[in-house]
Amino acid sequence: MNDKDQILALEQRLAAAMLNNDIAELGALIADDLLFVGPDGTIVGKTDDLDMRRSGRLTFSALDVLDRRVTASAGMAHVIARARLSGSANGAAFAGNFIYTRIWVKSGDSWRVQAGHVSAIAGLG
C-alpha cells in the first residue's frame, strides 16, 4: 500500500474514532507533540484533546466527510477534508460545515497526526 492509500485508511480510522469517542484509537493516531487549532483559535495538544473527549466536553453525533484531498511524500502527508459535523463542545451544541487541515508524520512504520486546524465554512449546500 502506498503512502497516500495508508493515509486515506488512517483518515477513515480517525473519523470513526472521533465519532465513536474511541480514546484508545485516538491516542494511537495522534502524535504526542500534536498542535491543533480549533475553530475558535484555541491551540490544544494531545493531552488536552484526549481530556476534552474523555470528559465529554467534545463529542460528535455526526461526521460526514464530503471530500478529502491527500498529498504524501518523504514521510509527511497533508490532508484537506471538508465535512458536515454535529455534536457538542463545552456544553454547546454545534452543527455545520467545516474544513480540516491535518499533517501526518511517519515515524518508523507508524503515521500520526502531528498538526491540524479546523474552521467553520459556509456554502457547501
Side-chain angles (χ1 to χ4, degrees):
M1 184 180 300
N2 65 37
D3 287 348
K4 184 176 178 181
D5 290 339
Q6 287 181 28
I7 295 300
L8 286 169
L10 289 168
E11 280 283 316
Q12 290 176 348
R13 282 178 53 194
L14 182 65
M18 291 168 61
L19 187 57
N20 296 313
N21 205 32
D22 185 338
I23 304 302
E25 179 77 341
L26 289 166
L29 294 172
I30 296 172
D32 290 342
D33 58 350
L34 170 78
L35 289 176
F36 191 85
V37 180
D40 64 354
T42 301
I43 301 170
V44 298
K46 179 178 183 173
T47 300
D48 300 323
D49 184 68
L50 295 178
D51 285 349
M52 286 188 311
R53 295 168 192 282
R54 192 177 289 113
S55 70
R57 288 181 291 144
L58 177 61
T59 62
F60 290 93
S61 54
L63 192 161
D64 300 312
V65 176
L66 303 172
D67 67 67
R68 184 181 286 129
R69 297 179 190 178
V70 177
T71 59
S73 64
M76 183 177 289
H78 302 93
V79 176
I80 305 292
R82 287 186 275 197
R84 287 195 183 100
L85 306 174
S86 62
S88 176
N90 295 315
F94 67 86
N97 299 315
F98 293 82
I99 190 161
Y100 282 89
T101 302
R102 276 192 278 273
I103 298 172
W104 292 81
V105 175
K106 190 172 188 178
S107 178
D109 291 334
S110 300
W111 288 94
R112 291 194 173 80
V113 177
Q114 188 168 40
H117 177 265
V118 63
S119 295
I121 56 174
L124 287 180

